[in-house]
Structure formats: C-alpha cells, structure tokens
Amino acid sequence: MTNLRFREDGSFRVLQMADIQDGPNVLPDTIRLIREAIRKADPDLVVFTGDQIRGYDPAYIDTFLRRRGEEPGARVRAVTEVEAKLRGIKRRARDRVNNRLLAMKSDGSNPDVQQTASTTSTLVYSTTSDSQDVPTTLDELMDETRDKVRRTFAGFLGPVIEAEVPFAATYGNHDFQCGILADEQDGIYREFPGCLNPVDSLEPGTFALPIEASDGSGRVAMSVMMVNSGDYAGKPEENDAQYPAYVVNPRGLDLADSDGYGTPSPEAIDWLGAVQSELGERNGDGKPVPAIAFQHIPPQEFYDCLKEVPAWTPNAVEGARTHAGHCYVLNHEICRPGSRLGEAIGCADENVGEVDALREAGGYFALFCGHDHKNAFVGHAHGIDLGYAPTCGFECYGPKSRYRGIRLFEFHESNPAGYVTRMLTWGDLVGRYSSNEVRVWFEDHCVTGAISMRNELRRPQVFAVLAGAMSLGFMAVIRSLVKKR
C-alpha cells in the first residue's frame, strides 16, 4: 500500500469529495468538476465521504434495498418507480413470477412446479428478451448490479486515477441501497489503482491513513481518519414492522426513515481512541498525533455551529427531527468566512458521544462530513472544527451549479491543526452554469414537505418572486372587476 508522506516543503493537500450520488453513467459535469479540481489543487490524497452511489437510482431497481437485511428489490420507493417509467426502465417484478408459476401449474404445462418461498425470492423476470419472458435468478441480477457499481466507480475515479492520486472511501446512507453492501464495495474499490482502503480495517469505511514526516524518518506527523457513520437507525425487524407507515409517510419522499439516520458503531467510537494509542506507540512517544476525521453523517454537535432565530428570519433553515420547530442561521462568530448553510443538519436522533470521544482521545482537530448537500460551513465548537463539503455531483439535489464543489485542505507538518481550507466550486473552476440548469433548478428548489416549503419561502428571491406573482394576480382580478362595472 502507498505510504503517504508530507512533501519536502512540509505541505500535504487533501480533496474531500462528498455525495457524488450517481448511477452507472456518471454525469459528464460531475467528472469535469472532479478533473478540474484535481488540476487546480494538485492533491496528495482524495477522500470520498459517502454516498458515492445513488443507491435508489432506477438502474438498481431490481436489487434496491430500502434497509439492510431486506430482500433485494422487494420494497422500492414510489418515486423510484416513477423515475424508472420516465426513463423507460422496466422493473423485473417478482409478482409476475408468481403468476407464471401458478399458470404453469393450472394449465398442466409443468405439474411438478411447486410455488415455494425460495422460488419466489430467487426468480425475477428479465425484460431483455424479444418476445418471451426469460426467468432470471437473483444471483444474475446481483452480478449485473456489481458491474453497474464498477461502472459508477470507474466514472468518478477516472480523473483521480489519471492523475495518479491515491484515494480512500467511506460510506453513506445510500451506497448500500443499490444492493451491494459496503464490505463488497470495499473489495470493488480495491480493484482500482491507488485505493487505500485496507483489507483488515475495523469495518468497511473505518480506518486510519497515517501521513509520515517529510524527512523520511517514518514518524507519523498527522493522520487522516475515515469513519463509517452508519446509514439508518432501527433494526431490520423494526423496519419491517414500520414499512406500511413508511409507504404513506411523506418523509419517504426524501428518503428519511421514521427512525432517522444512523450513527458510528460502538466499536468505531472506541476505535477513535485506540487508534491514537497505536499511532503514539508507533512514534515511540505515546502521544496522540494531529488528526482530522472524515465521515458522512454529521453528529448533533454540528447544530452548535448555528444560532436559533425567529421563524421569519430571511435565509433561516428549520431544523430536522429532534430539532424540528426551531429555525437557525450560521453563527458567524464561530464559523469561518465563506461558510454556507443551505438546509437543516441531517444528524441522527441519538448522540452517541463521538465528539466527546474525539476530544478525549486527543490529537483530533477537525471532523468533516457530507450528507447535507447544500451545506458548506466550517465552525469551531467543543474545541474542534466541524465542517461540511457540499455535493460535487449533478444527479442529486443540491445548491445552484456554481456552489457545487470539492473541499480542499492544505496542511503543514509543523502545525497540521493550523490547516487552510476552501471550496473549489463549479463556478470558480468551470463557469456559472452546468449543462442542465433546468434539472439543477429543480434540485435546488426541491420541496418534499412542509419544512422544505417553509425554508423555500424564507429565501428572499423565492419570496420576492411569489409575492410579485401574487401581486400581479391580485391586480388582474381588480382590473377584471373594474371592467365588469
């Protein structure tokens, strides 16, 4: 495996790419943004902080997993079904298998056929034949999905591999939903040159990347910590029981589960301290090394970078779940210049003490996340920097094209905690508009419920347009009434 090391001038550059969230055919705009950011930054390492895969993409409709532990393709979101129809993707439905098996029994064409649970769960229908339905096994469908995952990886990793930059990846709440779980995705990542995901990690997506001093001594001068922050809360059997409510719950439109988002495992929380002890032993002084952690879902402490304001405050966002009913803006006293807050912080309902664990372990100076596509702030709370990178993809919801981007970190081995970070945005690297601004407009103004509607109305431009339209409508009504008189 590649040994990471500070350059001779004592510098080390990292690019954080968050929420690519694309299907097998990664959009050209996303690939272009990645390529331009690498060209601009000349990074020593690229970290992907989860949701690289748009697991709910119609391409994965036959193997989609709403939650881990479910039958692939058994519970597909309604909006995915609609998108599949719009794109001409036909689902190979399980119920058609049942119908065919019953028909074969009833017409005597195959009297030995018995309808069993195993038959129902392993056979689906392919739509690839010209005139006849050809039974396809679930194993074959899973192989197709594996190939699609490889295509996705090859798409966004292309510029990284071309530039010969090492990379590492952790996982979010959508990666597994394609049907291929994180442990297997880890193996697929390792098929690509430059992958630093170790075979013997604590769990897929949780591992350390020590960065050695520039003098060649082998001393660890700093470490990048990748953390798997989980996906969704609740146990499989609980999710099964909640499924009927999930179907009718409008929150299902934005993919949130009734139990909320997941958290790092207890083992991962313990590891945060244990790995510092290991690195201290490696250096021979027993001291924790300066470290920055990257993961997907932010912990609750990210809300401490905000301040609560009245509901009518322009550009305020309403909190989610445990913070619902409260409105927030950035606390500029603790947030760095250039910070942006575009949506609520999508943290778990439970605080598992991760930030406390970081502080108690020593050495950690920052925790950066993705997950909330419109957020790009960096604040300092609880003695640690808490920050975001927004989405760098164009196949998912997010801010305007010019604000989508990749976060650059510049560290110096003499003081890694004194790092410099900034966004490399589409607007800075390419231009104001993407190749499909209509799509981006809808993604920027996506409304999935009452909270997002209220957030939209707090945006001055949106409010001004609506107020203007209502004024024109009111004037038109008055004029029509006057003419009638």
Side-chain angles (χ1 to χ4, degrees):
M1 182 176 290
T2 302
N3 286 330
L4 301 176
R5 181 181 296 175
F6 279 92
R7 300 185 183 192
E8 291 183 0
D9 64 359
S11 66
F12 192 88
R13 296 183 176 186
V14 177
L15 286 179
Q16 178 194 2
M17 302 186 186
D19 297 273
I20 292 172
Q21 211 158 307
D22 212 330
N25 301 313
V26 180
L27 291 183
D29 283 349
T30 301
I31 296 174
R32 185 178 183 185
L33 176 57
I34 293 173
R35 179 172 287 112
E36 293 299 325
I38 290 174
R39 182 176 298 147
K40 178 74 173 180
D42 185 25
D44 300 290
L45 173 68
V46 170
V47 295
F48 296 96
T49 52
D51 278 5
Q52 287 79 246
I53 295 180
R54 189 175 185 245
Y56 54 91
D57 190 279
Y60 303 116
I61 195 167
D62 290 319
T63 57
F64 172 78
L65 293 174
R66 186 184 65 98
R67 298 292 178 267
R68 285 179 290 111
E70 294 181 346
E71 180 69 24
R75 293 173 172 174
V76 178
R77 297 163 55 244
V79 289
T80 299
E81 297 272 16
V82 171
E83 186 179 355
K85 290 181 180 179
L86 293 175
R87 295 166 106 185
I89 297 175
K90 297 180 180 179
R91 186 182 179 195
R92 291 172 270 195
R94 306 298 175 91
D95 57 348
R96 293 176 60 192
V97 176
N98 296 342
N99 293 340
R100 183 171 183 271
L101 291 172
L102 290 172
M104 291 172 68
K105 283 191 66 178
S106 62
D107 66 13
S109 60
N110 191 342
D112 295 327
V113 171
Q114 299 292 326
Q115 185 181 6
T116 65
S118 61
T119 303
T120 304
S121 66
T122 58
L123 287 180
V124 293
Y125 265 78
S126 170
T127 56
T128 57
S129 61
D130 295 331
S131 59
Q132 294 182 349
D133 288 327
V134 179
T136 304
T137 66
L138 181 58
D139 288 343
E140 290 173 328
L141 286 176
M142 295 301 291
D143 284 341
E144 290 180 12
T145 293
R146 291 182 183 95
D147 289 339
K148 292 173 183 177
V149 168
R150 286 187 179 90
R151 283 168 52 195
T152 304
F153 289 178
F156 66 76
L157 286 174
V160 182
I161 295 171
E162 290 169 7
E164 298 183 341
V165 180
F167 70 90
T170 189
Y171 302 95
N173 54 296
H174 293 312
D175 293 295
F176 80 94
Q177 291 186 316
C178 67
I180 305 299
L181 301 184
D183 55 350
E184 190 169 356
Q185 288 188 34
D186 234 34
I188 297 175
Y189 273 118
R190 285 191 289 269
E191 295 174 5
F192 293 88
C195 179
L196 299 182
N197 285 38
V199 177
D200 58 349
S201 59
L202 172 75
E203 59 190 9
T206 299
F207 52 90
L209 296 172
I211 305 170
E212 298 178 355
S214 60
D215 59 11
S217 63
R219 179 181 62 85
V220 178
M222 173 188 158
S223 186
V224 168
M225 309 296 194
M226 305 294 288
V227 181
N228 188 330
S229 57
D231 42 63
Y232 294 97
K235 300 177 181 178
E237 59 271 18
E238 294 173 351
N239 290 329
D240 288 343
Q242 293 163 353
Y243 184 67
Y246 169 86
V247 173
V248 299
N249 186 346
R251 288 289 291 168
L253 289 174
D254 71 354
L255 315 176
D257 184 82
S258 57
D259 280 332
Y261 293 112
T263 59
S265 66
E267 293 79 10
I269 299 297
D270 292 340
W271 173 85
L272 291 170
V275 70
Q276 282 287 15
S277 298
E278 293 174 6
L279 293 174
E281 291 177 7
R282 173 174 167 178
N283 280 346
D285 58 9
K287 297 180 180 179
V289 302
I292 181 172
F294 291 99
Q295 66 187 48
H296 186 67
I297 299 173
Q300 292 182 358
E301 283 82 357
F302 271 57
Y303 271 99
D304 296 330
C305 296
L306 315 179
K307 63 179 180 181
E308 190 170 351
V309 294
W312 58 82
T313 305
N315 290 317
V317 299
E318 190 169 339
R321 300 184 62 83
T322 55
H323 292 76
H326 304 270
C327 292
Y328 302 89
V329 296
L330 288 174
N331 183 347
H332 291 289
E333 294 181 0
I334 62 174
C335 287
R336 295 194 184 192
S339 292
R340 295 182 59 84
L341 176 68
E343 63 176 305
I345 294 168
C347 58
D349 292 359
E350 180 184 8
N351 190 327
V352 295
E354 181 183 11
V355 172
D356 289 340
L358 293 172
R359 189 170 57 248
E360 291 170 4
Y364 292 97
F365 56 80
L367 169 62
F368 276 78
C369 301
H371 187 55
D372 300 317
H373 299 196
K374 294 184 177 183
N375 291 342
F377 67 76
V378 182
H380 188 81
H382 304 280
I384 190 172
D385 286 351
L386 303 173
Y388 273 110
T391 178
C392 64
F394 287 85
E395 186 67 280
C396 56
Y397 89 91
K400 294 178 175 61
S401 296
R402 62 182 180 273
Y403 296 132
R404 301 187 184 213
I406 294 167
R407 184 169 287 283
L408 168 64
F409 298 84
E410 299 179 80
F411 303 99
H412 197 280
E413 66 177 318
S414 63
N415 181 24
Y419 68 98
V420 175
T421 183
R422 61 190 175 97
M423 288 302 306
L424 302 179
T425 63
W426 176 270
D428 294 332
L429 299 174
V430 181
R432 185 178 180 88
Y433 302 114
S434 67
S435 62
N436 191 345
E437 278 300 296
V438 174
R439 181 187 181 97
V440 171
W441 187 89
F442 280 104
E443 291 169 346
D444 182 29
H445 297 279
C446 178
V447 173
T448 60
I451 291 178
S452 53
M453 173 62 76
R454 291 192 290 270
N455 285 340
E456 280 294 301
L457 292 175
R458 294 187 190 97
R459 298 171 71 169
Q461 291 179 328
V462 173
F463 183 81
V465 169
L466 291 177
M470 291 177 65
S471 298
L472 291 174
F474 180 74
M475 291 174 62
V477 171
I478 296 300
R479 287 175 181 174
S480 64
L481 294 175
V482 171
K483 286 182 180 180
K484 289 180 179 180
R485 291 184 180 181

